[in-house]
Amino acid sequence: MVSSFIEFMTSPMTIAYLTIVGIVFGGLQIMAAVMVYAERKVAAFMQQRVGPYRVGPQGLLQPVADILKLFFKEELRPKAADAFLFTLAPIISVAAAYLAFAPVPFGAPTDFFGMLPEKIPVQVSDVNVAVLVIFAVASMGVYGIVLAGWASNSKYSLLGGLRSSAQMISYELAYGMALATVVMMANSLSLREIVDAQQGYWFGFIPRWYVIPQAVGFFVFACAGIAETNRAPFDFPEAEQELVAGYHTEYSSMRFAMFFMAEYINMVTVSAVATNLYLGGWHGPFIPASYGWIWFVLKLGFLLFVYLWLRWTLPRFRYDQLMSFGWKVLLPLATINLILTAAGVLYFGGY
Amino acid sequence: MATDALLFYAFAGVTVIGALLVVSQKNPVYSVLSLIGAFFGLAGLYVGLEAPFVAVVQIIIYAGAIMVLFLFVVMLLNVPREDAAEWDRSHPLYRPMAVRIGAAMAVLLALELGWALSRATDIGGAVNAEPNERISSVAELGEVLFTRYMFAFEVTSILIIAAMVGAVVLARKRQE
């Protein structure tokens, strides 16, 4: 029993799978830190400032300094707060954020430069309903925010939490419609198969990415994705002039940092899913398929930059504008797109 | 096989403990959260039956959508903690009406279970059956839903629309 367990744990395949898990876990953490730095530097660039530059070369160690600061801050908890849920809420947020990345592939199946007997998919778990898993886990993230708002026992927190969940529920519909459209075109719920359906070119030079036939779907997905991650211009949960800081008003130190980390990881996940669904994932010209993850990282980086770009380009919506945009523009657009795509897929007998 | 059984008991345990916590919590917010936990246990059991689609859809609809609304209602209505001391100092079990209703429900449940078991044939076969490929296939499920169970499917949607219209009518402000 024990020896077979040791044999199992030291087999190349197990080590390879664990390596991928490690890459995802560590990668997401590093991405969160990089985003903290990028957020500040891009903001500074857009406002013609220098941004952080004192900690390390070009301010590169700024995230480290930030994390250290957060570690040593006092952990406050309001006396009237619900102690258990107050602690649980940031944990739910972070756990949901990490979990959502599990079914996301980020490279072509690899054998780690010939070290493995067979190729394994580069993702934590190749579930055949990956698209739905991401959708389900995203809806779990709402609980972290709602519970944080409620457990804090503060009206600003509660309002922030309620706003955020109303927003996420409203935009989840359009999000789901956009996902369904791509699923129909690829005829699969597995992200790996959806990505593989996008390889090749039209007329020899236009990549067969779904963003071209599904430009409307991509727009809907991008809007809904930004709303899901509570980023500007949809950052109502933390509209500071109305709600102080929204659902995390009462949070400090590492508990606050966990919400922050969850937000950045969610941004990475939404961008990664968008890359896979619409931008052909790891497929791209010039780079051999086994190094496809380079393309993936490039596309991911571009989408993350767009996030920051939008933040400093568009002002925050008004709350009623947000709701009418979600229900009266995005949802009908997504529904019409879904019906047209269904008709197209039926007429042409597949994509 | 041993792993399967282990996972089954783990998820079944989560489900049962979650369900028990739903009814034993004093704070309704905790009850809602326990129910979500129970749904996750149930989803784990579905995965064990090789029906990942059902598992995920169950999480999306029940744990994701419906329970968020439950949580909303509980939070916004500000349901007070069920403190017996406030309105009835006696232990709930000593209240005659509660005991009678509870006992009646328990007897009914036991009778139903007995009836179901007496009618069931070949339980062992069902337990040991290999997971059916067709059950876990999303395409197959969709096809059955839109052909064989079309009527039930559409009737359900009418029912839900009726409920929604009713809710809107009830919630609308009276203009007098």
Side-chain angles (χ1 to χ4, degrees), chain A residues 183-206:
Chain A
V183 166
M184 252 178 350
M185 286 183 78
N187 201 9
S188 168
L189 283 165
S190 154
L191 275 176
R192 194 167 50 80
E193 284 170 25
I194 290 174
V195 171
D196 279 335
Q198 297 176 64
Q199 59 184 338
Y201 300 90
W202 282 302
F203 313 118
F205 65 98
I206 305 172

Side-chain angles (χ1 to χ4, degrees), chain A residues 37-102:
Chain A
Y37 177 72
E39 175 111 60
R40 290 165 155 228
K41 271 294 188 192
V42 171
F45 173 70
M46 304 243 174
Q47 299 166 346
Q48 297 194 324
R49 293 186 285 117
V50 183
Y53 68 99
R54 297 191 75 121
V55 195
Q58 297 294 315
L60 267 171
L61 295 178
Q62 187 65 41
V64 180
D66 283 347
I67 292 165
L68 277 177
K69 180 195 79 173
L70 286 165
F71 257 121
F72 288 112
K73 271 192 156 183
E74 188 185 353
E75 195 119 46
L76 290 172
R77 197 183 71 224
K79 206 174 175 184
D82 188 312
F84 178 68
L85 291 182
F86 191 79
T87 314
L88 186 70
I91 297 174
I92 293 179
S93 275
V94 168
Y98 274 114
L99 196 60
F101 205 88

Side-chain angles (χ1 to χ4, degrees), chain A residues 91-338:
Chain A
I91 297 174
I92 293 179
S93 275
V94 168
Y98 274 114
L99 196 60
F101 205 88
V104 178
F106 52 95
T110 179
D111 53 4
F112 279 99
F113 313 108
M115 283 191 287
L116 294 179
E118 55 185 296
K119 290 192 173 209
I120 60 167
V122 188
Q123 68 202 92
V124 173
S125 153
D126 183 16
V127 276
N128 57 6
V129 286
V131 173
L132 293 174
V133 170
I134 292 167
F135 194 63
V137 176
S139 64
M140 287 302 104
V142 184
Y143 287 113
I145 291 176
V146 178
L147 288 177
W150 185 78
S152 297
N153 207 353
S154 136
K155 54 177 169 287
Y156 295 121
S157 302
L158 183 64
L159 284 173
L162 289 178
R163 264 190 182 190
S164 138
S165 36
Q167 170 182 336
M168 284 165 114
I169 292 168
S170 307
Y171 279 75
E172 237 164 45
L173 294 169
Y175 193 77
M177 289 278 188
L179 286 178
T181 319
V182 172
V183 166
M184 252 178 350
M185 286 183 78
N187 201 9
S188 168
L189 283 165
S190 154
L191 275 176
R192 194 167 50 80
E193 284 170 25
I194 290 174
V195 171
D196 279 335
Q198 297 176 64
Q199 59 184 338
Y201 300 90
W202 282 302
F203 313 118
F205 65 98
I206 305 172
R208 291 171 65 97
W209 295 347
Y210 284 155
V211 67
I212 296 166
Q214 282 297 327
V216 177
F218 183 65
F219 171 74
V220 171
F221 185 87
C223 290
I226 295 169
E228 287 276 302
T229 44
N230 295 323
R231 290 284 303 184
F234 303 120
D235 53 346
F236 286 90
E238 34 198 297
E240 53 279 282
Q241 74 274 51
E242 302 155 24
L243 292 174
V244 189
Y247 63 92
H248 56 59
T249 305
E250 305 293 344
Y251 280 85
S252 64
S253 188
M254 279 316 280
R255 289 199 187 117
F256 168 74
M258 282 162 89
F259 280 122
F260 229 69
M261 206 160 87
E263 180 174 320
Y264 283 121
I265 294 173
N266 280 330
M267 280 163 68
V268 174
T269 307
V270 169
S271 303
V273 173
T275 306
N276 280 330
L277 290 180
Y278 293 100
L279 300 178
W282 57 84
H283 293 300
F286 312 126
I287 298 176
S290 52
Y291 289 94
W293 57 268
I294 297 177
W295 262 120
F296 185 84
V297 170
L298 286 176
K299 292 169 186 171
L300 183 67
F302 173 72
L303 287 180
L304 286 172
F305 174 72
V306 171
Y307 254 115
L308 305 178
W309 193 2
L310 281 175
R311 173 169 177 185
W312 299 107
T313 309
L314 298 172
R316 184 182 296 133
F317 278 49
R318 227 172 41 221
Y319 194 66
D320 58 320
Q321 288 172 333
L322 168 93
M323 280 298 162
S324 62
F325 180 68
W327 287 101
K328 293 180 189 163
V329 178
L330 226 47
L331 188 59
L333 203 64
T335 315
I336 292 169
N337 187 35
L338 180 83

Side-chain angles (χ1 to χ4, degrees), chain B residues 112-133:
Chain B
E112 270 176 21
L113 201 63
W115 181 74
L117 283 176
S118 71
R119 281 176 61 93
T121 50
D122 191 25
I123 292 178
V127 169
N128 294 322
E130 283 298 305
N132 191 341
E133 263 294 307

